[in-house]
Amino acid sequence: MIKQTTWLWVTILAFCFLNLCTNGVTVIILPWLLNVHHHFPTYVYGFIMSGQAVGAASAAFIFGMRKAWTHRGLIGYLGIAIGALSFIIMTFIEHPIILALLMTVEGFGSMAFGLIWETSLQELVEPEAFGRVASIDMLGSFALIPVGYLFTGWFSEAVGGISAMMTLSVVSLLLIAIVLCVPAIRNFN
């Protein structure tokens, strides 16, 4: 089932590495950026991270307003790309409100992709195969996250937190650009 649908296998493979980059930034580098680099009080971290939830809720609200969306592959991957761009911009910003707005953009993009991905699974996968495909998706998409956390911590120590955040975000953008070169991904409706 997965091998026969380019959208499924390419996306699962891509997110092995995209999750490695983006989750490491969110879980490891972002707390360091806010609490150690900028010396913000702890509640500022909570405020900035709540922007991610606001963005996600906004994307869900907008996505739910239409019965059908076209160009879902492009929209989904561009959502992840705007999240990576938000992380890059964050390395230059020190104002908590602007950082919260950037996290709102990141949350919006991530949720846009997540909604497109989940609805596409329901459309493309037969009910009797859904459990197996969802299991492969979870394993493929999330298996490298612990390795990503270890790598992100080590990489941040080696090159510095700001450089690591920028590098991982640029790698995410490059991966997205490569994936969007696949016509079946770019043209997925």
Side-chain angles (χ1 to χ4, degrees):
M1 178 74 209
I2 292 174
K3 291 186 291 187
Q4 299 163 349
T5 308
T6 305
W7 168 255
L8 294 177
W9 73 263
V10 168
T11 298
I12 290 170
L13 181 63
F15 270 84
C16 283
F17 301 102
L18 285 169
N19 279 340
L20 186 142
C21 293
T22 58
N23 286 348
V25 168
T26 303
V27 173
I28 310 264
I29 300 175
L30 199 55
W32 168 85
L33 178 74
L34 301 175
N35 296 331
V36 177
H37 185 72
H38 292 316
H39 305 288
F40 290 142
T42 306
Y43 68 85
V44 173
Y45 175 74
F47 169 70
I48 290 170
M49 291 306 292
S50 67
Q52 190 177 40
V54 170
S58 300
F61 179 75
I62 291 168
F63 190 80
M65 292 176 68
R66 291 181 65 179
K67 286 186 178 186
W69 287 85
T70 58
H71 309 292
R72 289 185 294 169
L74 194 57
I75 292 169
Y77 277 95
L78 289 178
I80 299 300
I82 65 167
L85 285 172
S86 294
F87 286 146
I88 291 171
I89 295 168
M90 284 178 149
T91 64
F92 301 104
I93 304 295
E94 293 186 27
H95 196 280
I97 292 174
I98 297 171
L99 290 168
L101 290 173
L102 288 166
M103 279 309 290
T104 302
V105 170
E106 193 281 332
F108 187 94
S110 292
M111 180 58 82
F113 179 84
L115 291 167
I116 288 167
W117 176 248
E118 293 302 325
T119 57
S120 71
L121 281 178
Q122 294 171 20
E123 293 170 5
L124 296 173
V125 179
E126 298 297 325
E128 61 273 0
F130 193 83
R132 290 187 304 270
V133 172
S135 296
I136 292 168
D137 171 34
M138 290 294 127
L139 177 64
S141 295
F142 298 111
L144 291 180
I145 288 176
V147 174
Y149 291 160
L150 289 170
F151 173 77
T152 301
W154 170 82
F155 189 56
S156 295
E157 274 295 310
V159 302
I162 298 291
S163 295
M165 189 169 177
M166 289 187 83
T167 301
L168 290 170
S169 298
V170 168
V171 168
S172 294
L173 290 173
L174 290 172
L175 287 169
I176 291 164
I178 291 167
V179 169
L180 286 176
C181 288
V182 178
I185 300 298
R186 191 177 56 249
N187 300 323
F188 178 72
N189 274 321

